Amino acid sequence: MAGDSQHTAYPKLLNLFIFNSTYGQKEGHEHEKILFYYPNSADLDTQVRHVGLAEAITRFSSTFRKDGDCEAVHTQKTRQLFMQPEPNIWMVMTVAIGWVSRMRESGPVREYQSEAVQDVVLRACLASLYRTFALRHSSFNAVLEARGLEGLKATLESFLTSYMSSVELSSGDILTVWSGVSFLPLDRQTFLRIHCCLSLLQASFPTIAHTAFFYNQHIVWCGLAMEDLRSLSQYLNTQLLPSRKDSLTSSTSSSSSSSHTSYLSRFVGKGVTPSLQVHVRDECGELQPHHLLLYSLMGVTICLTFAESESLTPQLFEKIDRLLESKVSQLASDIGEQASKKAGSGPGAEGGSGGGEGCRGQRWGEHSAMCTTTT
Amino acid sequence: MGAMGDARGYLELSPDPVRFEPVSKVTNVFFDDTSKEVLSVRGGGTLGVVVRGQGRDHTFRMEDRGPISSLKFSPDHTVLAVQRSKNAVELLSYNNGEVGAGLTQECRAKSATLLGFIWTNNDDLALVTDHGVEFYQVSRERLGVRHLRSYSVPCTWFVWSPECLLLLLCCGTSPSSTTLQPFSFKPGQSTKLAKFEVEVSGPGGPNAPGITLGERDVCVGWVYSLPSVCVLRHPASPSVTAALDVYTQNKDSQFKKAYTCRLELTGRFAVNIIDSLIIVHHQASKTSLLFDVLVGGGDGGGGMTWVFPLPPPRSVQPFSLVEASALPCQAASPPSLPCELYAPTWVVFQPDIVIDARLGCMWHLQLRLDCLAEAVQDKTQLVDCLLRRKQAKSLVLLVVRKVVESGQLACLGQIFDKINAAYRQHLNTILQSQMGESVSFSAAASGGVERRVVVVEQADMYSAVLAPLMEEAEKVEKEGKAGVGDKKLSVRAVVGVVVEYTRSLGAVGVTVQHFLYELVINALVRARHFYQLHQLLQYHVLADSKPLACLLLSLVGVYSAGQQLSLDMLCRLNTAHDEIIEVLLSQRQVTPALRYARSVGLAESVSARKFLEAAMGSGSDQVFYSTFTFFSLRNTRLRGNPAFAKGEHCEVFVEHYKKLFGELPDYSNQQL
């Protein structure tokens, strides 16, 4: 009875690797297949063995199933998930299944909780990982073409290291499966004001390709396609905004009231033209590289995308700030007021307040109404 | 510019001036402010008096009994009043160019000097003397005069406004202010109102001796249905500029300073009040300033508002007199003579009269709202001003369209807000007239200071601005970005404009009409922005309707969420049960359809054949079995027999059932 931790174990990520099955065909060159391996503390031999086994499983299973890939391998202690997001490139994740130690006649016995690990959840984790990668870098093949094999490896390394530090891959719930976005409940008039603010922004800066408006973690308006919204909101909520919150609080503690002086402090990123490269769908549904600007003020985050060919200048940032600052702070305080009012009035008030109510609650209600007819 | 006028000027002289014989050695010219006529008196009347007015033109002769200092017709032209002496007025009967017998009415105050006389009505004559006002009734039949009332107010000069029926007496001067005594008139009645003081010294400047208020500096007119007194305040020192104070009559008939128009100029001014707009002519710069007291004011404290010129100062439009030459002219067109504008010989009368006594011309000054629209930079203020002008509706729409086209979207929201505030006010008035007087509390509010008369309804905005813009934007987009240089609006921007308009309508609580939604929906669908449409629906920006639901349904092929959106909408409408069932059946969701029918109480009445057909088409035997059983049970319940009625045409399904599952079961002993 050393410690409680010895009695239970929670699901844990054992490894995560990405390999290209067409590389390293010659014997002794199998390590060339590996594009990324976590944990990188594992020696090359272990890496090659795991990759080899995974590839063998996928090839073996493909003889039985023509219309799809091998999805998962269940063992007593592990669960391995396979995903082939691009031809011949496989993402494989292995999760250790949690267990509970119980006393039996023969002594302590570990009972593995295999139900606690769901294939769909893990698959969704992998899919959202790939989606986030695609948002930033388009695809594995695109990076390969642009930067070569070493470039791809380096990109994967840096991307996944930061991704895995902020997202827990081995756990998830139904929300992960659907990777849904949560819409902010707002009345019609406030929503329209936000919409008009963004229209004005787009009219003033015609080079803006898309706009999106977030309040805290909730989406209010998105000019992007639905698929992109999913990856964008995920990326924002898991990676960009939490880190920003930390940096903001630390900066305000060190230097007070400096946020007022610099318009750049309201943009997320570094340098005089803080922006990120993302790949989002254009009007024809093709993934195209774009600049992503994030303007963040009082809980509101406005995402702006520009086509990659547009050059961003510090003047542009300043002009955008001049247009947005007062409007956004006004909107943010109004939204906050509404949200707190809603929270104060409780769920009972929601039904009575009628047509202008926020969409999330309403939509849930409708779904349940429709569900009774469908199930 | 200047003396010859400005082609972009927002004022013009009426194209057909009243011509009269100009002032000369033998001719005296009088202006009758009641009938707005000019009377040229030649040789003291013996050589004829020519009366010239808009649409009126007559001549008469009368005896010369001394120099005439003033003459005026009664409003109905039956009595001519002539002043020749210091203390008396001659009243002569007049009938179509014939001057008849008359009488002389002397001032009742013996030592008084007559300052002038006014016709306040056809029968009412007021004599203004330095001792006060004497009010008489003139009976036209026997040409008698009856004294009604006298007011004793020492007076140095007076101003009479026939428009407001308001008489102002200057009855006291102190170094910094002048006291004015107003009288108001009704037929047969006169009322002495509370006197008020007006400031005389220039704004901010110390009062310098020698500055006194003269009758030239005071004018009276209607400003937004309030009788208003405009007082020019000349600067005491050259470093400050002049201002125009506007005193308006409040509910207690007292005059209070409400506005101060900042002239930012010094020198000689003349004032016209046209359609509640105050126009100040400046002689030195030969320009006119235009003020709308309700637009763009700044709070000056103490209930007083600073008003700034709406457009930059501009001259009146150029004017040329076409001289009908005496000699038969060789040239085909008579020579036209450009007139000097803002000439020293100009005299200005209320409300809109400009007279050049040397040229012998009387014009009506007219507003050119189209030029005003060009001149005013701040389009929000412009629209605010135009909304208060009659017949400016098409111009308002034009301005909105130009604002959108030029991409000044920043002020568009405010413009829409102004327009819709007027729209709301109009709807309230309609509502009140329908509900009777029970809602009198808001009557005061709507009749308040807003007073916007132009009502732009949603259909107007749609047909004049939004629809054409959308059409244009879509055409440009369809042709491919042909001219990158020309900054045409994108469909997205026009959608933004429409949404802005609906926001503004929503802000004043006006229900948005469906054609506006249609515009947005169609544009978004054509541009394939389905997800954006989805979001607008989520936030209930677009109102639910059956046509919209059908449209969404038709999009299922290109946007899969359309079906659920459509079903949700139909469900919310709560009047479309049949449609929902049809949609579900068409998706072969027979069991859900049946469940839905049952939940809305239609299970007893829906057509069995429709459901069985869909069930058979679904290919699932289980679904068919359940559906068939459901209807067999229904038959048992309704008719005590599981068989279908003849009219239901379900024989083919019975056969199908038999083929699949053998004989029909007997439900009669089942508990229902």
Side-chain angles (χ1 to χ4, degrees), chain A residues 2-19:
Chain A
D4 283 347
S5 61
Q6 291 301 310
H7 289 275
T8 53
Y10 294 103
K12 195 178 87 187
L13 182 68
L14 285 181
N15 56 41
L16 171 81
F17 49 91
I18 299 168
F19 68 91

Side-chain angles (χ1 to χ4, degrees), chain B residues 300-461:
Chain B
M304 195 273 291
T305 309
W306 290 111
V307 187
F308 298 90
L310 189 61
R314 275 188 189 169
S315 297
V316 174
Q317 293 217 343
F319 186 85
S320 292
L321 263 185
V322 179
E323 291 286 1
S325 95
L327 297 165
C329 196
Q330 282 87 358
S333 62
S336 71
L337 181 74
C339 291
E340 188 194 348
L341 304 172
Y342 302 93
T345 46
W346 270 25
V347 191
V348 167
F349 294 95
Q350 298 312 319
D352 59 352
I353 302 218
V354 174
I355 291 175
D356 190 327
R358 196 187 55 195
L359 265 178
C361 278
M362 178 176 83
W363 295 278
H364 289 273
L365 204 58
Q366 294 168 346
L367 281 173
R368 282 287 298 269
L369 289 177
D370 52 337
C371 297
L372 183 70
E374 299 284 321
V376 179
Q377 290 304 309
D378 187 329
K379 299 298 175 193
T380 315
Q381 290 190 357
L382 171 67
V383 169
D384 202 9
C385 171
L386 289 180
L387 285 172
R388 296 193 173 86
R389 309 275 87 78
K390 289 159 218 139
Q391 282 117 32
K393 183 161 160 176
S394 57
L395 195 58
V396 168
L397 291 168
L398 189 71
V399 168
V400 172
R401 186 164 174 178
K402 281 198 173 150
V403 165
V404 176
E405 278 173 348
S406 62
Q408 297 164 287
L409 297 186
C411 58
L412 193 65
Q414 295 169 323
I415 291 178
F416 281 147
D417 287 347
K418 300 263 187 212
I419 289 174
N420 289 327
Y423 184 34
R424 173 81 255 176
Q425 192 186 314
H426 169 73
L427 293 178
N428 286 350
T429 325
I430 291 177
L431 212 65
Q432 274 163 28
S433 65
Q434 282 169 354
M435 294 172 70
E437 292 177 345
S438 57
V439 278
S440 54
F441 64 93
S442 55
S446 69
V449 280
E450 292 303 310
R451 275 185 252 280
R452 297 191 175 103
V453 292
V454 173
V455 177
V456 179
E457 293 183 69
Q458 298 178 40
D460 303 324
M461 192 57 83

Side-chain angles (χ1 to χ4, degrees), chain B residues 155-301:
Chain B
C155 164
T156 46
W157 50 260
F158 74 98
V159 173
W160 162 244
S161 165
E163 285 75 34
C164 305
L165 295 176
L166 192 78
L167 175 70
L168 282 180
L169 260 50
C170 171
C171 61
T173 314
S174 78
S176 63
S177 68
T178 298
T179 309
L180 296 181
Q181 172 63 61
F183 292 89
S184 79
F185 293 91
K186 283 177 190 159
Q189 281 178 37
S190 57
T191 316
K192 185 179 179 182
L193 303 174
K195 58 176 141 183
F196 62 103
E197 293 201 344
V198 299
E199 286 173 57
V200 180
S201 62
N207 181 46
I211 290 188
T212 48
L213 193 70
E215 54 180 307
R216 286 173 151 277
D217 300 323
V218 177
C219 70
V220 181
W222 290 103
V223 175
Y224 293 114
S225 25
L226 291 176
S228 303
V229 178
C230 301
V231 180
L232 270 170
R233 202 144 44 103
H234 290 287
S237 73
S239 59
V240 263
T241 53
L244 182 81
D245 292 333
V246 182
Y247 297 79
T248 56
Q249 197 175 14
N250 63 17
K251 285 197 189 89
D252 308 325
S253 295
Q254 283 181 331
F255 284 89
K256 285 266 151 56
K257 181 153 104 176
Y259 310 99
T260 296
C261 301
R262 303 283 298 256
L263 302 178
E264 311 294 351
L265 293 165
T266 51
R268 281 187 63 186
F269 298 97
V271 180
N272 279 123
I273 300 173
I274 305 175
D275 194 10
S276 296
L277 295 174
I278 298 172
I279 290 152
V280 181
H281 308 286
H282 184 233
Q283 220 222 319
S285 66
K286 298 194 188 301
T287 54
S288 302
L289 298 106
L290 187 145
F291 295 89
D292 184 338
V293 293
L294 292 187
V295 174
D299 188 20

Side-chain angles (χ1 to χ4, degrees), chain A residues 31-76:
Chain A
H31 62 275
E32 290 173 11
K33 291 177 191 290
I34 305 171
L35 300 174
F36 172 80
Y37 194 95
Y38 167 88
N40 54 12
S41 56
D43 58 59
L44 195 63
D45 208 34
T46 316
Q47 293 186 13
V48 169
R49 271 193 291 121
H50 278 125
V51 170
L53 179 62
E55 190 186 356
I57 292 170
T58 59
R59 287 197 190 241
F60 174 71
S61 65
S62 69
T63 56
F64 298 103
R65 200 176 165 193
K66 299 286 179 212
D67 57 341
D69 296 322
C70 167
E71 288 176 358
V73 171
H74 292 212
T75 67
Q76 191 189 12

Side-chain angles (χ1 to χ4, degrees), chain A residues 30 65 134 148 209 240 244-245 252 279 288 303 337 371:
Chain A
E30 284 88 352
R65 200 176 165 193
L240 283 173
R244 176 167 172 78
K245 207 170 275 174
T252 45
H279 293 79
Q288 296 289 348
C303 305
E337 206 169 284
C371 277

